PDB file of all heavy atoms in Angstrom:
ATOM      1  N   LEU A   1      18.463   5.035 -14.432  1.00 83.00           N
ATOM      2  CA  LEU A   1      18.527   4.248 -13.263  1.00 83.00           C
ATOM      3  C   LEU A   1      18.604   2.752 -13.629  1.00 83.00           C
ATOM      4  O   LEU A   1      17.730   2.285 -14.349  1.00 83.00           O
ATOM      5  CB  LEU A   1      17.263   4.518 -12.373  1.00 83.00           C
ATOM      6  CG  LEU A   1      17.129   5.848 -11.729  1.00 83.00           C
ATOM      7  CD1 LEU A   1      15.814   5.849 -10.820  1.00 83.00           C
ATOM      8  CD2 LEU A   1      18.346   6.148 -10.860  1.00 83.00           C
ATOM      9  N   ARG A   2      19.606   2.060 -13.152  1.00 89.00           N
ATOM     10  CA  ARG A   2      19.700   0.654 -13.320  1.00 89.00           C
ATOM     11  C   ARG A   2      18.908   0.044 -12.138  1.00 89.00           C
ATOM     12  O   ARG A   2      19.090   0.385 -10.985  1.00 89.00           O
ATOM     13  CB  ARG A   2      21.116   0.176 -13.189  1.00 89.00           C
ATOM     14  CG  ARG A   2      22.031   0.579 -14.366  1.00 89.00           C
ATOM     15  CD  ARG A   2      23.477   0.147 -14.066  1.00 89.00           C
ATOM     16  NE  ARG A   2      23.633  -1.303 -14.006  1.00 89.00           N
ATOM     17  CZ  ARG A   2      24.658  -1.963 -13.426  1.00 89.00           C
ATOM     18  NH1 ARG A   2      25.589  -1.252 -12.875  1.00 89.00           N
ATOM     19  NH2 ARG A   2      24.736  -3.240 -13.439  1.00 89.00           N
ATOM     20  N   VAL A   3      18.088  -0.925 -12.445  1.00 93.00           N
ATOM     21  CA  VAL A   3      17.314  -1.567 -11.379  1.00 93.00           C
ATOM     22  C   VAL A   3      17.302  -3.088 -11.629  1.00 93.00           C
ATOM     23  O   VAL A   3      17.429  -3.547 -12.753  1.00 93.00           O
ATOM     24  CB  VAL A   3      15.867  -1.049 -11.337  1.00 93.00           C
ATOM     25  CG1 VAL A   3      15.862   0.423 -10.946  1.00 93.00           C
ATOM     26  CG2 VAL A   3      15.140  -1.260 -12.603  1.00 93.00           C
ATOM     27  N   LEU A   4      17.163  -3.781 -10.487  1.00 95.00           N
ATOM     28  CA  LEU A   4      16.920  -5.238 -10.540  1.00 95.00           C
ATOM     29  C   LEU A   4      15.497  -5.433 -10.122  1.00 95.00           C
ATOM     30  O   LEU A   4      15.102  -5.018  -9.006  1.00 95.00           O
ATOM     31  CB  LEU A   4      17.893  -5.939  -9.584  1.00 95.00           C
ATOM     32  CG  LEU A   4      17.711  -7.464  -9.512  1.00 95.00           C
ATOM     33  CD1 LEU A   4      18.199  -8.067 -10.788  1.00 95.00           C
ATOM     34  CD2 LEU A   4      18.493  -8.036  -8.311  1.00 95.00           C
ATOM     35  N   ILE A   5      14.736  -6.068 -10.977  1.00 94.00           N
ATOM     36  CA  ILE A   5      13.306  -6.390 -10.689  1.00 94.00           C
ATOM     37  C   ILE A   5      13.225  -7.787 -10.174  1.00 94.00           C
ATOM     38  O   ILE A   5      13.756  -8.714 -10.784  1.00 94.00           O
ATOM     39  CB  ILE A   5      12.439  -6.209 -11.908  1.00 94.00           C
ATOM     40  CG1 ILE A   5      12.491  -4.777 -12.462  1.00 94.00           C
ATOM     41  CG2 ILE A   5      10.992  -6.577 -11.617  1.00 94.00           C
ATOM     42  CD1 ILE A   5      11.957  -3.750 -11.531  1.00 94.00           C
ATOM     43  N   THR A   6      12.637  -7.994  -9.044  1.00 95.00           N
ATOM     44  CA  THR A   6      12.469  -9.352  -8.485  1.00 95.00           C
ATOM     45  C   THR A   6      10.963  -9.688  -8.373  1.00 95.00           C
ATOM     46  O   THR A   6      10.250  -9.008  -7.642  1.00 95.00           O
ATOM     47  CB  THR A   6      13.105  -9.492  -7.093  1.00 95.00           C
ATOM     48  OG1 THR A   6      14.519  -9.131  -7.189  1.00 95.00           O
ATOM     49  CG2 THR A   6      12.978 -10.864  -6.580  1.00 95.00           C
ATOM     50  N   ASN A   7      10.563 -10.680  -9.139  1.00 93.00           N
ATOM     51  CA  ASN A   7       9.187 -11.144  -9.078  1.00 93.00           C
ATOM     52  C   ASN A   7       9.126 -12.240  -7.973  1.00 93.00           C
ATOM     53  O   ASN A   7       9.695 -13.291  -8.135  1.00 93.00           O
ATOM     54  CB  ASN A   7       8.767 -11.689 -10.397  1.00 93.00           C
ATOM     55  CG  ASN A   7       7.208 -11.954 -10.437  1.00 93.00           C
ATOM     56  OD1 ASN A   7       6.605 -12.010  -9.407  1.00 93.00           O
ATOM     57  ND2 ASN A   7       6.720 -12.133 -11.648  1.00 93.00           N
ATOM     58  N   THR A   8       8.355 -11.962  -6.901  1.00 93.00           N
ATOM     59  CA  THR A   8       8.208 -12.938  -5.850  1.00 93.00           C
ATOM     60  C   THR A   8       7.280 -14.074  -6.225  1.00 93.00           C
ATOM     61  O   THR A   8       7.237 -15.079  -5.485  1.00 93.00           O
ATOM     62  CB  THR A   8       7.669 -12.266  -4.571  1.00 93.00           C
ATOM     63  OG1 THR A   8       6.337 -11.771  -4.849  1.00 93.00           O
ATOM     64  CG2 THR A   8       8.563 -11.083  -4.153  1.00 93.00           C
ATOM     65  N   ASN A   9       6.589 -13.954  -7.319  1.00 91.00           N
ATOM     66  CA  ASN A   9       5.571 -14.872  -7.784  1.00 91.00           C
ATOM     67  C   ASN A   9       4.447 -15.079  -6.793  1.00 91.00           C
ATOM     68  O   ASN A   9       3.737 -16.101  -6.809  1.00 91.00           O
ATOM     69  CB  ASN A   9       6.261 -16.282  -8.008  1.00 91.00           C
ATOM     70  CG  ASN A   9       7.353 -16.157  -9.061  1.00 91.00           C
ATOM     71  OD1 ASN A   9       7.097 -15.664 -10.165  1.00 91.00           O
ATOM     72  ND2 ASN A   9       8.558 -16.648  -8.727  1.00 91.00           N
ATOM     73  N   VAL A  10       4.240 -14.084  -5.906  1.00 91.00           N
ATOM     74  CA  VAL A  10       3.110 -14.095  -5.020  1.00 91.00           C
ATOM     75  C   VAL A  10       1.977 -13.254  -5.567  1.00 91.00           C
ATOM     76  O   VAL A  10       2.160 -12.017  -5.839  1.00 91.00           O
ATOM     77  CB  VAL A  10       3.511 -13.512  -3.601  1.00 91.00           C
ATOM     78  CG1 VAL A  10       2.296 -13.452  -2.684  1.00 91.00           C
ATOM     79  CG2 VAL A  10       4.612 -14.431  -2.966  1.00 91.00           C
ATOM     80  N   PRO A  11       0.819 -13.826  -5.868  1.00 87.00           N
ATOM     81  CA  PRO A  11      -0.271 -13.062  -6.433  1.00 87.00           C
ATOM     82  C   PRO A  11      -0.807 -12.043  -5.477  1.00 87.00           C
ATOM     83  O   PRO A  11      -0.780 -12.240  -4.255  1.00 87.00           O
ATOM     84  CB  PRO A  11      -1.262 -14.117  -6.820  1.00 87.00           C
ATOM     85  CG  PRO A  11      -0.992 -15.290  -5.862  1.00 87.00           C
ATOM     86  CD  PRO A  11       0.464 -15.258  -5.662  1.00 87.00           C
ATOM     87  N   LYS A  12      -1.316 -10.967  -6.007  1.00 82.00           N
ATOM     88  CA  LYS A  12      -1.923  -9.952  -5.128  1.00 82.00           C
ATOM     89  C   LYS A  12      -2.984  -9.205  -5.914  1.00 82.00           C
ATOM     90  O   LYS A  12      -3.063  -9.249  -7.143  1.00 82.00           O
ATOM     91  CB  LYS A  12      -0.865  -9.006  -4.597  1.00 82.00           C
ATOM     92  CG  LYS A  12       0.059  -8.355  -5.673  1.00 82.00           C
ATOM     93  CD  LYS A  12      -0.488  -7.056  -6.202  1.00 82.00           C
ATOM     94  CE  LYS A  12       0.442  -6.394  -7.214  1.00 82.00           C
ATOM     95  NZ  LYS A  12      -0.102  -5.164  -7.747  1.00 82.00           N
ATOM     96  N   SER A  13      -3.830  -8.451  -5.197  1.00 81.00           N
ATOM     97  CA  SER A  13      -4.892  -7.656  -5.808  1.00 81.00           C
ATOM     98  C   SER A  13      -4.731  -6.220  -5.423  1.00 81.00           C
ATOM     99  O   SER A  13      -4.787  -5.870  -4.250  1.00 81.00           O
ATOM    100  CB  SER A  13      -6.268  -8.126  -5.309  1.00 81.00           C
ATOM    101  OG  SER A  13      -7.280  -7.195  -5.648  1.00 81.00           O
ATOM    102  N   THR A  14      -4.398  -5.372  -6.405  1.00 78.00           N
ATOM    103  CA  THR A  14      -4.273  -3.930  -6.184  1.00 78.00           C
ATOM    104  C   THR A  14      -5.523  -3.363  -5.503  1.00 78.00           C
ATOM    105  O   THR A  14      -5.502  -2.579  -4.531  1.00 78.00           O
ATOM    106  CB  THR A  14      -3.941  -3.187  -7.496  1.00 78.00           C
ATOM    107  OG1 THR A  14      -2.705  -3.655  -8.006  1.00 78.00           O
ATOM    108  CG2 THR A  14      -3.868  -1.685  -7.267  1.00 78.00           C
ATOM    109  N   LYS A  15      -6.663  -3.773  -6.053  1.00 81.00           N
ATOM    110  CA  LYS A  15      -7.958  -3.210  -5.524  1.00 81.00           C
ATOM    111  C   LYS A  15      -8.108  -3.567  -4.050  1.00 81.00           C
ATOM    112  O   LYS A  15      -8.489  -2.689  -3.250  1.00 81.00           O
ATOM    113  CB  LYS A  15      -9.115  -3.805  -6.360  1.00 81.00           C
ATOM    114  CG  LYS A  15     -10.463  -3.114  -6.080  1.00 81.00           C
ATOM    115  CD  LYS A  15     -11.534  -3.720  -6.956  1.00 81.00           C
ATOM    116  CE  LYS A  15     -11.334  -3.379  -8.428  1.00 81.00           C
ATOM    117  NZ  LYS A  15     -12.471  -3.831  -9.253  1.00 81.00           N
ATOM    118  N   ALA A  16      -7.816  -4.729  -3.654  1.00 87.00           N
ATOM    119  CA  ALA A  16      -7.958  -5.161  -2.258  1.00 87.00           C
ATOM    120  C   ALA A  16      -6.980  -4.433  -1.331  1.00 87.00           C
ATOM    121  O   ALA A  16      -7.287  -4.023  -0.194  1.00 87.00           O
ATOM    122  CB  ALA A  16      -7.755  -6.683  -2.139  1.00 87.00           C
ATOM    123  N   LEU A  17      -5.716  -4.247  -1.838  1.00 90.00           N
ATOM    124  CA  LEU A  17      -4.702  -3.571  -1.009  1.00 90.00           C
ATOM    125  C   LEU A  17      -5.076  -2.098  -0.833  1.00 90.00           C
ATOM    126  O   LEU A  17      -4.889  -1.575   0.268  1.00 90.00           O
ATOM    127  CB  LEU A  17      -3.359  -3.725  -1.678  1.00 90.00           C
ATOM    128  CG  LEU A  17      -2.727  -5.188  -1.573  1.00 90.00           C
ATOM    129  CD1 LEU A  17      -1.670  -5.318  -2.662  1.00 90.00           C
ATOM    130  CD2 LEU A  17      -2.150  -5.382  -0.176  1.00 90.00           C
ATOM    131  N   VAL A  18      -5.537  -1.492  -1.898  1.00 88.00           N
ATOM    132  CA  VAL A  18      -5.965  -0.026  -1.790  1.00 88.00           C
ATOM    133  C   VAL A  18      -7.090   0.053  -0.848  1.00 88.00           C
ATOM    134  O   VAL A  18      -7.134   0.987   0.000  1.00 88.00           O
ATOM    135  CB  VAL A  18      -6.340   0.489  -3.202  1.00 88.00           C
ATOM    136  CG1 VAL A  18      -6.992   1.859  -3.027  1.00 88.00           C
ATOM    137  CG2 VAL A  18      -5.108   0.607  -4.054  1.00 88.00           C
ATOM    138  N   ALA A  19      -8.025  -0.884  -0.905  1.00 90.00           N
ATOM    139  CA  ALA A  19      -9.209  -0.831   0.033  1.00 90.00           C
ATOM    140  C   ALA A  19      -8.734  -1.033   1.462  1.00 90.00           C
ATOM    141  O   ALA A  19      -9.258  -0.382   2.402  1.00 90.00           O
ATOM    142  CB  ALA A  19     -10.154  -1.952  -0.361  1.00 90.00           C
ATOM    143  N   GLY A  20      -7.686  -1.843   1.667  1.00 93.00           N
ATOM    144  CA  GLY A  20      -7.162  -2.059   3.026  1.00 93.00           C
ATOM    145  C   GLY A  20      -6.540  -0.869   3.653  1.00 93.00           C
ATOM    146  O   GLY A  20      -6.743  -0.497   4.776  1.00 93.00           O
ATOM    147  N   VAL A  21      -5.831  -0.077   2.797  1.00 94.00           N
ATOM    148  CA  VAL A  21      -5.227   1.232   3.261  1.00 94.00           C
ATOM    149  C   VAL A  21      -6.301   2.239   3.563  1.00 94.00           C
ATOM    150  O   VAL A  21      -6.228   2.929   4.569  1.00 94.00           O
ATOM    151  CB  VAL A  21      -4.223   1.779   2.225  1.00 94.00           C
ATOM    152  CG1 VAL A  21      -3.740   3.112   2.618  1.00 94.00           C
ATOM    153  CG2 VAL A  21      -3.038   0.851   2.034  1.00 94.00           C
ATOM    154  N   ARG A  22      -7.368   2.241   2.701  1.00 95.00           N
ATOM    155  CA  ARG A  22      -8.461   3.172   2.938  1.00 95.00           C
ATOM    156  C   ARG A  22      -9.181   2.841   4.262  1.00 95.00           C
ATOM    157  O   ARG A  22      -9.519   3.743   5.018  1.00 95.00           O
ATOM    158  CB  ARG A  22      -9.430   3.075   1.759  1.00 95.00           C
ATOM    159  CG  ARG A  22     -10.577   4.101   1.840  1.00 95.00           C
ATOM    160  CD  ARG A  22     -11.537   4.030   0.713  1.00 95.00           C
ATOM    161  NE  ARG A  22     -10.886   4.372  -0.554  1.00 95.00           N
ATOM    162  CZ  ARG A  22     -10.633   3.511  -1.568  1.00 95.00           C
ATOM    163  NH1 ARG A  22     -10.985   2.235  -1.416  1.00 95.00           N
ATOM    164  NH2 ARG A  22     -10.034   3.873  -2.650  1.00 95.00           N
ATOM    165  N   ALA A  23      -9.337   1.584   4.576  1.00 96.00           N
ATOM    166  CA  ALA A  23      -9.996   1.154   5.798  1.00 96.00           C
ATOM    167  C   ALA A  23      -9.150   1.563   7.007  1.00 96.00           C
ATOM    168  O   ALA A  23      -9.656   2.008   8.052  1.00 96.00           O
ATOM    169  CB  ALA A  23     -10.270  -0.324   5.788  1.00 96.00           C
ATOM    170  N   LEU A  24      -7.809   1.411   6.848  1.00 96.00           N
ATOM    171  CA  LEU A  24      -6.907   1.755   7.942  1.00 96.00           C
ATOM    172  C   LEU A  24      -6.983   3.289   8.177  1.00 96.00           C
ATOM    173  O   LEU A  24      -6.988   3.708   9.312  1.00 96.00           O
ATOM    174  CB  LEU A  24      -5.477   1.355   7.583  1.00 96.00           C
ATOM    175  CG  LEU A  24      -4.405   1.586   8.673  1.00 96.00           C
ATOM    176  CD1 LEU A  24      -4.675   0.623   9.843  1.00 96.00           C
ATOM    177  CD2 LEU A  24      -3.030   1.279   8.082  1.00 96.00           C
ATOM    178  N   ARG A  25      -7.021   4.015   7.116  1.00 96.00           N
ATOM    179  CA  ARG A  25      -7.133   5.488   7.241  1.00 96.00           C
ATOM    180  C   ARG A  25      -8.475   5.931   7.883  1.00 96.00           C
ATOM    181  O   ARG A  25      -8.542   6.870   8.667  1.00 96.00           O
ATOM    182  CB  ARG A  25      -7.042   6.151   5.879  1.00 96.00           C
ATOM    183  CG  ARG A  25      -7.039   7.706   5.932  1.00 96.00           C
ATOM    184  CD  ARG A  25      -6.879   8.299   4.573  1.00 96.00           C
ATOM    185  NE  ARG A  25      -6.853   9.770   4.640  1.00 96.00           N
ATOM    186  CZ  ARG A  25      -7.929  10.550   4.639  1.00 96.00           C
ATOM    187  NH1 ARG A  25      -9.089   9.946   4.588  1.00 96.00           N
ATOM    188  NH2 ARG A  25      -7.812  11.827   4.725  1.00 96.00           N
ATOM    189  N   ASP A  26      -9.535   5.189   7.557  1.00 97.00           N
ATOM    190  CA  ASP A  26     -10.818   5.461   8.171  1.00 97.00           C
ATOM    191  C   ASP A  26     -10.750   5.297   9.714  1.00 97.00           C
ATOM    192  O   ASP A  26     -11.385   6.043  10.467  1.00 97.00           O
ATOM    193  CB  ASP A  26     -11.928   4.564   7.636  1.00 97.00           C
ATOM    194  CG  ASP A  26     -12.266   4.944   6.160  1.00 97.00           C
ATOM    195  OD1 ASP A  26     -11.963   6.081   5.771  1.00 97.00           O
ATOM    196  OD2 ASP A  26     -12.860   4.100   5.489  1.00 97.00           O
ATOM    197  N   ARG A  27      -9.935   4.332  10.154  1.00 97.00           N
ATOM    198  CA  ARG A  27      -9.817   4.065  11.610  1.00 97.00           C
ATOM    199  C   ARG A  27      -8.885   5.003  12.271  1.00 97.00           C
ATOM    200  O   ARG A  27      -9.094   5.423  13.424  1.00 97.00           O
ATOM    201  CB  ARG A  27      -9.394   2.621  11.859  1.00 97.00           C
ATOM    202  CG  ARG A  27     -10.337   1.551  11.429  1.00 97.00           C
ATOM    203  CD  ARG A  27     -10.080   0.177  12.020  1.00 97.00           C
ATOM    204  NE  ARG A  27      -8.781  -0.308  11.709  1.00 97.00           N
ATOM    205  CZ  ARG A  27      -8.530  -1.023  10.589  1.00 97.00           C
ATOM    206  NH1 ARG A  27      -9.492  -1.259   9.721  1.00 97.00           N
ATOM    207  NH2 ARG A  27      -7.279  -1.482  10.351  1.00 97.00           N
ATOM    208  N   TYR A  28      -7.765   5.403  11.600  1.00 97.00           N
ATOM    209  CA  TYR A  28      -6.731   6.219  12.235  1.00 97.00           C
ATOM    210  C   TYR A  28      -6.327   7.347  11.242  1.00 97.00           C
ATOM    211  O   TYR A  28      -5.221   7.368  10.702  1.00 97.00           O
ATOM    212  CB  TYR A  28      -5.513   5.403  12.555  1.00 97.00           C
ATOM    213  CG  TYR A  28      -5.858   4.165  13.352  1.00 97.00           C
ATOM    214  CD1 TYR A  28      -5.794   2.901  12.740  1.00 97.00           C
ATOM    215  CD2 TYR A  28      -6.138   4.269  14.677  1.00 97.00           C
ATOM    216  CE1 TYR A  28      -6.079   1.793  13.464  1.00 97.00           C
ATOM    217  CE2 TYR A  28      -6.435   3.093  15.439  1.00 97.00           C
ATOM    218  CZ  TYR A  28      -6.402   1.872  14.851  1.00 97.00           C
ATOM    219  OH  TYR A  28      -6.720   0.717  15.524  1.00 97.00           O
ATOM    220  N   PRO A  29      -7.235   8.254  10.932  1.00 97.00           N
ATOM    221  CA  PRO A  29      -6.979   9.242   9.865  1.00 97.00           C
ATOM    222  C   PRO A  29      -5.732  10.096  10.144  1.00 97.00           C
ATOM    223  O   PRO A  29      -4.943  10.367   9.197  1.00 97.00           O
ATOM    224  CB  PRO A  29      -8.262  10.108   9.881  1.00 97.00           C
ATOM    225  CG  PRO A  29      -8.935   9.862  11.197  1.00 97.00           C
ATOM    226  CD  PRO A  29      -8.576   8.427  11.568  1.00 97.00           C
ATOM    227  N   ALA A  30      -5.515  10.564  11.345  1.00 97.00           N
ATOM    228  CA  ALA A  30      -4.421  11.422  11.638  1.00 97.00           C
ATOM    229  C   ALA A  30      -3.103  10.692  11.445  1.00 97.00           C
ATOM    230  O   ALA A  30      -2.142  11.248  10.902  1.00 97.00           O
ATOM    231  CB  ALA A  30      -4.527  12.010  13.044  1.00 97.00           C
ATOM    232  N   VAL A  31      -3.053   9.432  11.931  1.00 97.00           N
ATOM    233  CA  VAL A  31      -1.835   8.663  11.824  1.00 97.00           C
ATOM    234  C   VAL A  31      -1.475   8.357  10.313  1.00 97.00           C
ATOM    235  O   VAL A  31      -0.376   8.553   9.896  1.00 97.00           O
ATOM    236  CB  VAL A  31      -1.976   7.351  12.631  1.00 97.00           C
ATOM    237  CG1 VAL A  31      -0.755   6.464  12.378  1.00 97.00           C
ATOM    238  CG2 VAL A  31      -2.106   7.598  14.125  1.00 97.00           C
ATOM    239  N   VAL A  32      -2.461   7.845   9.613  1.00 96.00           N
ATOM    240  CA  VAL A  32      -2.273   7.484   8.249  1.00 96.00           C
ATOM    241  C   VAL A  32      -1.979   8.623   7.385  1.00 96.00           C
ATOM    242  O   VAL A  32      -1.101   8.561   6.476  1.00 96.00           O
ATOM    243  CB  VAL A  32      -3.447   6.612   7.660  1.00 96.00           C
ATOM    244  CG1 VAL A  32      -3.295   6.365   6.192  1.00 96.00           C
ATOM    245  CG2 VAL A  32      -3.586   5.299   8.441  1.00 96.00           C
ATOM    246  N   ASP A  33      -2.630   9.765   7.611  1.00 97.00           N
ATOM    247  CA  ASP A  33      -2.399  10.991   6.844  1.00 97.00           C
ATOM    248  C   ASP A  33      -0.897  11.443   7.033  1.00 97.00           C
ATOM    249  O   ASP A  33      -0.284  11.926   6.093  1.00 97.00           O
ATOM    250  CB  ASP A  33      -3.349  12.102   7.238  1.00 97.00           C
ATOM    251  CG  ASP A  33      -4.732  11.923   6.607  1.00 97.00           C
ATOM    252  OD1 ASP A  33      -4.847  11.104   5.684  1.00 97.00           O
ATOM    253  OD2 ASP A  33      -5.652  12.638   7.023  1.00 97.00           O
ATOM    254  N   GLY A  34      -0.414  11.260   8.261  1.00 97.00           N
ATOM    255  CA  GLY A  34       0.963  11.638   8.523  1.00 97.00           C
ATOM    256  C   GLY A  34       1.985  10.820   7.707  1.00 97.00           C
ATOM    257  O   GLY A  34       2.949  11.268   7.131  1.00 97.00           O
ATOM    258  N   ILE A  35       1.619   9.483   7.594  1.00 97.00           N
ATOM    259  CA  ILE A  35       2.472   8.560   6.781  1.00 97.00           C
ATOM    260  C   ILE A  35       2.384   8.926   5.312  1.00 97.00           C
ATOM    261  O   ILE A  35       3.397   8.977   4.662  1.00 97.00           O
ATOM    262  CB  ILE A  35       2.033   7.132   7.035  1.00 97.00           C
ATOM    263  CG1 ILE A  35       2.280   6.718   8.455  1.00 97.00           C
ATOM    264  CG2 ILE A  35       2.773   6.172   6.049  1.00 97.00           C
ATOM    265  CD1 ILE A  35       1.640   5.356   8.818  1.00 97.00           C
ATOM    266  N   LEU A  36       1.176   9.232   4.858  1.00 95.00           N
ATOM    267  CA  LEU A  36       0.989   9.556   3.459  1.00 95.00           C
ATOM    268  C   LEU A  36       1.674  10.933   3.129  1.00 95.00           C
ATOM    269  O   LEU A  36       2.269  11.076   2.075  1.00 95.00           O
ATOM    270  CB  LEU A  36      -0.480   9.678   3.108  1.00 95.00           C
ATOM    271  CG  LEU A  36      -1.248   8.329   3.158  1.00 95.00           C
ATOM    272  CD1 LEU A  36      -2.772   8.580   2.925  1.00 95.00           C
ATOM    273  CD2 LEU A  36      -0.686   7.305   2.206  1.00 95.00           C
ATOM    274  N   ASP A  37       1.635  11.865   4.097  1.00 96.00           N
ATOM    275  CA  ASP A  37       2.399  13.084   3.905  1.00 96.00           C
ATOM    276  C   ASP A  37       3.939  12.835   3.745  1.00 96.00           C
ATOM    277  O   ASP A  37       4.566  13.532   2.947  1.00 96.00           O
ATOM    278  CB  ASP A  37       2.147  14.074   5.081  1.00 96.00           C
ATOM    279  CG  ASP A  37       0.743  14.633   4.974  1.00 96.00           C
ATOM    280  OD1 ASP A  37       0.114  14.599   3.945  1.00 96.00           O
ATOM    281  OD2 ASP A  37       0.232  15.176   6.046  1.00 96.00           O
TER     282      ASP A  37
END
């Protein structure tokens, strides 16, 4: 696979983003589980 990688230079935290998805799932488990499926 040929790919073009683009670095937006915007810092982020994997741990914080994962925690955000987990919190969203806690609020709407059926909806988020459908997206994850």
Side-chain angles (χ1 to χ4, degrees):
L1 292 183
R2 291 175 67 198
V3 296
L4 180 70
I5 301 295
T6 302
N7 189 345
T8 65
N9 301 308
V10 175
K12 52 91 179 178
S13 166
T14 298
K15 190 178 292 187
L17 288 159
V18 170
V21 174
R22 186 180 295 112
L24 187 66
R25 183 178 182 274
D26 288 342
R27 295 197 300 274
Y28 309 104
V31 174
V32 173
D33 281 349
I35 295 171
L36 295 176
D37 286 343

